Amino acid sequence: MKTQARPNIGSYEERLKGFSWSAAESELGYTPGADINIAWYCTDRICQQGKGGKTALLWEGLGGVEKRYTFDDLRLASNTIASFLQGLGIAPEERVCLFMDRIPELYLGFLGALKAGAVVQPLFSAFGDESLLVRLENAQTKAILTTRKHVGKVRKIREKLPCLKHIIVVDDDGRKALQEREVAFSLARSKPVEDFKAAATKAESPSVLHYTSGTTGMPKGVRHVHYSLVSQYLTAKWVLDLREDDVYWCTADPGWVTGTSYGIIGPWSQGITQCVLDVGFTAEAWYRFIQKRRVTVWYSAPTAIRALMKAGEEIVKKHDLSSLRHLVSVGEPLNAEAVVWSERVFGLPFHDSYWQTETGSIMITNFPGVKIKPGSMCKPFPGITAALLDMATFEPFHESGKVGLIAIKPGWPAMLRGYWNNQEAFEKKFKNGWYLTGDRATLDQDGYFWFVGRDDDVINTAGHLVSPFEVESALLEHPAVAESAVVSKPDEINMEVVKAFVTLKAGFAESDDLKLEIMNFIRKKLSPLAMPTEIEFIAQLPKTRSGKIMRRMLKAKEWGQEIGDTSTLEND
Ligand code: 6R9
C-alpha cells in the first residue's frame, strides 16, 4: 500500500456536519442569482486566477500524435467556436450536437457551445444513423459539429431532419466537397477571438443534454443546467481528490455523462491538467500512457479493470506506474476481486463511485480515507440524502440485508431538471418525495450501500446502458425478423452482453450467415455496443396470456437462475 497525503475531503464525518452547497458556491466565487456559465468557469476564470499558462489538456491520438492545450488555449478556442456558432445564428438554448471521436475539437466544441449559450448534446461517434436520428429528432437539434469521418451518417438522415440547419465539419481541409447545409470550420485556420462575452446563463439555464436508454420507449434526453457545476466541482475535489499538481486521466468518452461531468467540467473548473487517449483499448496502450504521462489520478470503469486483470500482472511490472496515487471506478458494480487485485498490483485499491446520467454527479462512493469494504459502494456524498425504499410501499427503511430501491432526496445541484419533451417519464421518477434511481441495493450495519441490480430490464454492457426495446425495434426492421426478445447474458469482461432471441418470418431459413447479417445490421443502425453478441433462433417466444414477451424467463435461463413464476405463461 502506498502512503497517502491527507485527502481533500479531510474527515468524512466532519464534512457531514453542517454541510451546505453554499461553501462550494463561495469557493467558485458564485453568488446565487448571478450569471453562471460552465464554460466560463472552466476557462476564463482559471486564466483570471493566473493559471492561463498551465496545461489543461494533453491529448494523444493514433500513431502517437500529440497535442497540448493550456487553459488560455481553451479560453481562446472556446471563444472562437462560440463566436462562430453565434455567427451562424445559433440562439440561446438551441441544441448543438457533438458527433466526433475524442479529438480536441470535441472538448473545445463542448466549451464553445456552452459559451454561446447553446445546449450541448454530445453523442458517441460510434452511433449508427438510426441512433443518431432519434436523438437529433427528439432534441430538435439545430447544429451538429462533426468530422469528415462521420459526416456520412449525418448525410444519410438529414432529409428527415428539417430542424438541422447546420452541419459543421470541423476538420475540413477543403478537399471534400461540402453538401447541402454543410459548412467547414477549422480552428487552425480561424482567427482566434480574444474577447468574447460568455452567454449570461443563469443557474437554471439548460446546459448539457445526455441521452440515456430506458426499458420502454425511445432514449430519453436528460436535461442538466449550468448550476450542476457546483456538484461536479465539489465531487471532483472530494471524491477524485484532485489537486493542483495532478495529472488526471478520465477514460470515459464525453458521449457518456462520466466524460462530461468528470472528463471536462469537474477537473477544468478546478484548473486541473487532464490527459486524453483517443485510441482503442489495449492493456499495453493504457499502461504505456500512464507511464508516459505520469498519471496521478485515474477514473475508469469495471469493464476496463476486468480486461486489465485478464491481461495479467507481468505487463504491469513492465511499466513504471509509480505516479498513480488515486484510482476511482464508475458505471457498473465494482467486483470485490477487482479492488483486491488493484491493491495488489498497483498498491492502490479502486474506489467505487455510484451515480447516473440523471444525477449528474457522484452520489454514493468510497471516499479517500474512508475504510473500503470491497464490493460495497460505501456512503452518500455529503449533502446527498440516499436511502433504500421498500419495493412495495416506497417508504424508507434501515434494516440491514433487506433489498430496497436506491432513492435520493431531490435538491442537489446536478440533479436532472427533466427529460427532454417527456414530462411524464420525468414524473414517474419520483415517489413520496424521493427520486428513484431504478437500482436496487442493501445496506449493512455500518450504513454502507451494496449494489444488487437494476430494477428494470436495461442492459448494462461495459458500463453502457442498452435498451432492449431499442434493439428489438431495430431488429424488426430486418426483413427476416418476425419477432424478437432482447435480454442480457453474463460476460466475463463486459459483465453483461446483448443476446437476441429471434423468430423468423416464413420463407427465411436459419443459418449462421443470417445471424451475422442481423448482427451487422444492428451494429450499423444503432452502435457496436448494442449489437447482439449472440442470436438464437427460436420457434416461439414465451409470452404471457396478455401477449407480453416474458423476457424474464429467457434472461433467467441465460443467467442459470430459477425461472420463477410462470403462471401467466400463455403456452405452458
Ligand atoms: C455514471 C453512469 C447509470 C446506471 C446506474 C447503475 C449503473 C453506475 C455504478 C452502477 C453499480 C456502480 N451503475 N455506477 N452500478 N455500481 N458504481 O454510469 O451513468 O450511464 O446513466 O448509468 O449504471 O445501474 O443506474 P449511466
Side-chain angles (χ1 to χ4, degrees), residues 509-528:
E510 296 177 8
S511 74
D512 286 345
D513 280 352
L514 182 57
K515 278 187 188 171
L516 276 179
E517 189 193 306
I518 298 175
M519 284 177 186
N520 259 320
F521 182 75
I522 299 299
R523 187 176 61 82
K524 283 214 192 108
K525 252 189 171 350
L526 299 180
S527 86

Side-chain angles (χ1 to χ4, degrees), residues 212 256-258 330-333 352-357 377 439 451 454 460 465:
T212 186
W256 180 33
V257 70
T258 305
V330 60
E332 302 157 78
D352 198 3
S353 70
Y354 166 84
W355 58 293
Q356 308 180 301
T357 305
M377 312 191 290
D439 288 313
F451 188 82
R454 289 187 60 93
N460 188 335
L465 302 186

Side-chain angles (χ1 to χ4, degrees), residues 14 233-234 258 264 279 303 383 463-464 516 529 549:
E14 286 298 313
Y233 166 83
L234 196 64
T258 305
I264 298 179
V279 302
T303 293
H464 296 274
L516 276 179
L529 289 163
I549 297 170

Side-chain angles (χ1 to χ4, degrees), residues 167-415:
I167 301 167
I168 304 157
V169 185
V170 298
D171 61 348
D172 185 80
D173 58 0
R175 276 185 295 170
K176 187 153 186 159
L178 293 176
Q179 299 186 4
E180 179 203 330
R181 292 186 245 168
E182 290 174 8
V183 50
F185 176 77
S186 153
L187 255 180
R189 281 184 276 130
S190 300
K191 189 174 174 305
V193 176
E194 181 59 47
D195 295 306
F196 183 87
K197 187 162 171 0
T201 45
K202 296 285 182 193
E204 294 303 309
S205 304
S207 54
V208 184
L209 187 63
H210 273 294
Y211 276 73
T212 186
S213 301
T215 320
T216 55
M218 283 300 157
K220 294 176 297 226
V222 177
R223 180 162 53 84
H224 284 294
V225 295
H226 281 269
Y227 188 60
S228 69
L229 168 71
V230 174
S231 286
Q232 288 147 352
Y233 166 83
L234 196 64
T235 46
K237 186 168 172 186
W238 287 0
V239 180
L240 303 176
D241 200 42
L242 297 177
R243 302 178 196 170
E244 195 53 50
D245 54 357
D246 270 320
V247 177
Y248 166 68
W249 185 27
C250 170
T251 61
D253 187 306
W256 180 33
V257 70
T258 305
T260 57
S261 289
Y262 298 106
I264 298 179
I265 308 171
W268 281 344
S269 63
Q270 245 186 283
I272 301 293
T273 301
Q274 58 167 336
C275 44
V276 167
L277 178 63
D278 186 27
V279 302
F281 173 86
T282 64
E284 172 72 32
W286 276 34
Y287 290 141
R288 205 182 323 126
F289 191 62
I290 294 173
Q291 171 178 299
K292 178 169 166 194
R293 291 297 173 204
R294 306 292 300 151
V295 172
T296 56
V297 178
W298 185 20
Y299 197 22
S300 198
T303 293
I305 302 166
R306 285 190 294 268
L308 293 174
M309 286 168 77
K310 205 173 169 197
E313 287 174 44
E314 278 311 303
I315 185 164
V316 179
K317 290 186 194 134
K318 283 194 198 128
H319 294 88
D320 173 10
L321 308 179
S322 58
S323 55
L324 290 172
R325 70 164 183 87
H326 185 46
L327 318 181
V328 191
S329 162
V330 60
E332 302 157 78
L334 179 64
N335 323 60
E337 298 78 12
V339 179
V340 174
W341 177 83
S342 84
E343 204 155 0
R344 193 176 72 241
V345 304
F346 303 130
L348 297 164
F350 262 97
H351 291 67
D352 198 3
S353 70
Y354 166 84
W355 58 293
Q356 308 180 301
T357 305
E358 284 89 341
T359 69
S361 64
I362 295 166
M363 295 285 105
I364 302 176
T365 182
N366 288 115
F367 294 92
V370 174
K371 182 183 168 217
I372 292 181
K373 299 190 193 182
S376 159
M377 312 191 290
C378 202
K379 296 196 180 188
F381 191 80
I384 299 297
T385 308
L388 293 186
L389 305 188
D390 182 274
M391 305 222 274
T393 63
F394 296 101
E395 291 298 333
F397 66 82
H398 300 282
E399 289 148 74
S400 55
K402 176 176 156 181
V403 176
L405 302 168
I406 308 176
I408 320 275
K409 264 271 169 281
W412 70 97
M415 188 180 103

